Amino acid sequence: MTALAFLVRRPRNAWSTLLLSLLAVGVLFALLPKTASDASPQAGLPDSSQAAQVSALLERFPGAESTAGLLVWTRDGAELTDADRAAVATRAADLAELSSVPQAVRPVFSDDGKAALVAVPLEAAPVEDDVDAAATQLRDAASADLPDGLTARLTGPVGFQADIRNAFAGADLRLLLVTVAVVAFLLIVTYRSPVLWIVPLVVVGMADGLSRFVVTGLADAFDIPVDASISGILSVLVFGAGTNYALLLVARYREELRTTADRYAAMTTAVRSAGPAIIASGSTVTLSLLTLLLAELAGNRALGLACAVGIVLAMAFALIVLPAALAVCGRGIFWPFVPRPGAVASRRSVWSRVGEGVARRPVVVAIVSVLGIAVLALGLAGYRVGLSQTDQLIGSPESVTAEQVLEDSFPASGAPFVVLLAPAASADDAVVVAQATSGVESATPGRARSAGPASMSCSTPRRRASRPSTRSRACAGRSPTPGRRSPAPSSAGAMRPHSTLGRARSTTCCSSRR
């Protein structure tokens, strides 16, 4: 701590430290890349996983590079009129012009007559480049010149991907503003000063901004998949940890100001006293986060590295920039409760009384705390990790509403199914094994790929999945053999995608009974 304490030992040292720190931060802000991702989180499965291996093999199938948008028309729960059906047929013709398989685009009406469905196969590459533009095109084409009361909604891979992307767009800024507001409120309540809270907040904000740029630079250099969710978590972590470190330092600094006339000497003592605690706390968190580098999922590894960088920068700013800034500002920054030598605290705080109570009965407090945590942990019984396709979005976005319509009006279109790869010569045996598996309702073999061992097919699902895979399994417009397109399906179920993202592709599909 001697080196850190030297940085604020005298006025010249403190001013030099503050100015050089600001200069260094400014240079880094100017030089580091500033591109940030608004993309939604990706699966990031390891190459060793069977799902990743199957996905890689599916890339070799003809027609694998495709996706689909599902358009659903309803009249607020009422049956569709003849005019509605005619309008849907007209819209389907216009949507076919946008499709990579025009002949597969045709309307399917529900048995109850309350909904119509059109699946639009699309090339995956243009959609992935600009999913918002693709979704807008489909929505505009589906909604043009509709009779009054008839509503068109987009769902399926394109619809969900667009809604999730829109949900993450601007999320970083909203989360940052909420975090800053909460931290500012806590600092004002803690310090009881209209001025003091500004300095720690600005310093921590600089640490957060720099951590974003540093993480972005590392992501570009090492091809780390940093998405919007990681950026949001990073900001919350940096502000939380940085504020905690600031509270430790300021509390110790205020104590020294009550006994020391020289504020620089008081800050020197505060850094030497609080510094080890800050370093120990930050180092523990950093090492814990770095253990995520051992995770199999790429997103978890990226989260660990990004947050570890954020904690290190929060520690650095709390021990270098914050002490210099507080020392330069002087005692007046604590107004209206300015600590001076010989001054005694007007009253004991609530937390001092809590601390004294814990010190008197540490064993009782420890036992009660452990029992309380155990009781709270009972809520984890039956806890499951993961969200269903519709639970990924809060509220009632268009894709979720349309998904509910499909579940109600097309009950045969949403069963979960599993994609299997097998040598073409063993496809029939694989179907027999799959059909004999408990929980499997049906299994359908596909045609063998002309230059490979795998087969490709799609089953007709029965019910909706509660946990979607990370890739779409829509069967629309798939080519089982080169140069040949699949015929248009006769039911909605044959073209129903199973997840939010990905491409339309499958092999032997097993529809499971839930």
Side-chain angles (χ1 to χ4, degrees):
M1 292 296 105
T2 302
L4 293 174
F6 176 79
L7 299 177
V8 291
R9 180 175 298 175
R10 296 183 177 86
R12 179 183 299 178
N13 298 27
W15 277 103
S16 299
T17 300
L18 182 60
L19 294 177
L20 289 176
S21 299
L22 294 176
L23 179 61
V25 171
V27 170
L28 291 174
F29 275 8
L31 297 180
L32 291 173
K34 301 173 181 60
T35 56
S37 173
D38 286 331
S40 57
Q42 303 297 316
L45 294 174
D47 294 337
S48 59
S49 67
Q50 288 190 8
Q53 294 175 16
V54 170
S55 296
L57 289 172
L58 289 176
E59 299 285 353
R60 297 158 51 186
F61 280 89
E65 295 298 326
S66 59
T67 186
L70 298 185
L71 283 307
V72 181
W73 288 265
T74 59
R75 180 176 282 280
D76 195 22
E79 291 190 13
L80 301 180
T81 63
D82 292 339
D84 294 339
R85 291 172 177 263
V88 170
T90 302
R91 295 299 94 222
D94 292 342
L95 289 167
E97 299 178 1
L98 304 175
S99 175
S100 58
V101 191
Q103 66 272 24
V105 182
R106 62 184 188 183
V108 177
F109 296 94
S110 62
D111 293 339
D112 59 10
K114 295 182 179 181
L117 169 66
V118 170
V120 184
L122 300 169
E123 293 294 334
V127 173
E128 291 177 352
D129 291 340
D130 193 349
V131 66
D132 292 331
T136 300
Q137 275 189 321
L138 293 175
R139 286 168 176 150
D140 291 344
S143 302
D145 301 325
L146 292 180
D148 292 341
L150 184 63
T151 303
R153 297 182 177 90
L154 174 66
T155 186
V158 177
F160 272 99
Q161 189 173 357
D163 284 347
I164 288 179
R165 183 177 180 84
N166 291 333
F168 275 93
D172 283 356
L173 179 60
R174 293 193 298 271
L175 184 59
L176 179 61
L177 293 177
V178 172
T179 302
V180 170
V182 172
V183 170
F185 173 76
L186 293 176
L187 290 175
I188 291 173
V189 171
T190 302
Y191 294 142
R192 295 175 295 165
S193 169
V195 182
L196 177 59
W197 64 274
I198 298 176
V199 175
L201 189 64
V202 170
V203 171
V204 175
M206 291 171 57
D208 173 60
L210 183 59
S211 66
R212 286 169 172 259
F213 292 159
V214 172
V215 169
T216 300
L218 291 175
D220 293 344
F222 299 101
D223 194 25
I224 300 174
V226 177
D227 54 53
S229 65
I230 292 178
S231 300
I233 295 172
L234 175 62
S235 289
V236 173
L237 190 62
V238 171
F239 267 94
T243 303
N244 180 45
Y245 303 152
L247 289 172
L248 290 174
L249 181 69
V250 173
R252 192 68 185 88
Y253 179 44
R254 184 177 355 216
E255 291 178 357
E256 289 301 319
L257 287 176
R258 292 194 179 105
T259 59
T260 307
D262 185 355
R263 65 176 187 268
Y264 295 99
M267 180 57 74
T268 299
T269 304
V271 170
R272 287 182 175 180
S273 301
I278 293 174
I279 292 178
S281 174
S283 299
T284 302
V285 176
T286 300
L287 292 175
S288 300
L289 290 169
L290 289 177
T291 60
L292 289 176
L293 295 177
L294 303 176
E296 290 189 352
L297 296 182
N300 289 345
R301 294 196 298 271
L303 177 65
L305 180 60
C307 292
V309 170
I311 292 296
V312 171
L313 289 175
M315 281 194 298
F317 274 76
L319 293 174
I320 298 175
V321 182
L322 182 59
L326 290 173
V328 165
C329 290
R331 297 174 183 268
I333 200 172
F334 287 92
W335 183 87
F337 303 100
V338 181
R340 301 189 183 280
V344 180
S346 58
R347 60 183 178 84
R348 294 193 325 172
S349 67
V350 173
W351 299 114
S352 64
R353 292 194 292 270
V354 171
E356 292 172 358
V358 172
R360 284 195 299 268
R361 293 182 175 86
V363 176
V364 175
V365 172
I367 293 175
V368 171
S369 299
V370 171
L371 291 177
I373 294 174
V375 171
L376 294 176
L378 294 177
L380 296 176
Y383 176 76
R384 297 189 304 174
V385 177
L387 296 174
S388 69
Q389 180 170 277
T390 54
D391 288 339
Q392 295 180 42
L393 297 166
I394 61 174
S396 300
E398 182 176 305
S399 57
V400 173
T401 304
E403 182 79 7
Q404 184 62 49
V405 172
L406 288 180
E407 182 182 6
D408 295 339
S409 298
F410 298 91
S413 65
F417 57 85
V418 178
V419 180
L420 303 176
L421 282 180
S426 304
D428 293 337
D429 294 336
V431 172
V432 172
V433 173
Q435 290 175 336
T437 302
S438 176
V440 173
E441 184 173 281
S442 65
T444 306
R447 298 185 182 183
R449 185 173 179 269
S450 58
S455 61
M456 194 171 193
S457 177
C458 185
S459 65
T460 302
R462 296 297 178 198
R463 276 186 282 190
R464 175 177 156 188
S466 61
R467 290 190 187 175
S469 61
T470 58
R471 292 185 177 271
S472 169
R473 305 303 182 197
C475 304
R478 181 175 297 110
S479 298
T481 57
R484 181 175 177 181
R485 290 286 184 186
S486 299
S490 58
S491 69
M495 299 184 72
R496 178 71 178 277
H498 179 49
S499 75
T500 305
L501 308 174
R503 304 175 177 85
R505 58 203 181 193
S506 178
T507 58
T508 301
C509 298
C510 306
S511 178
S512 60
R513 182 184 294 107
R514 295 178 60 83

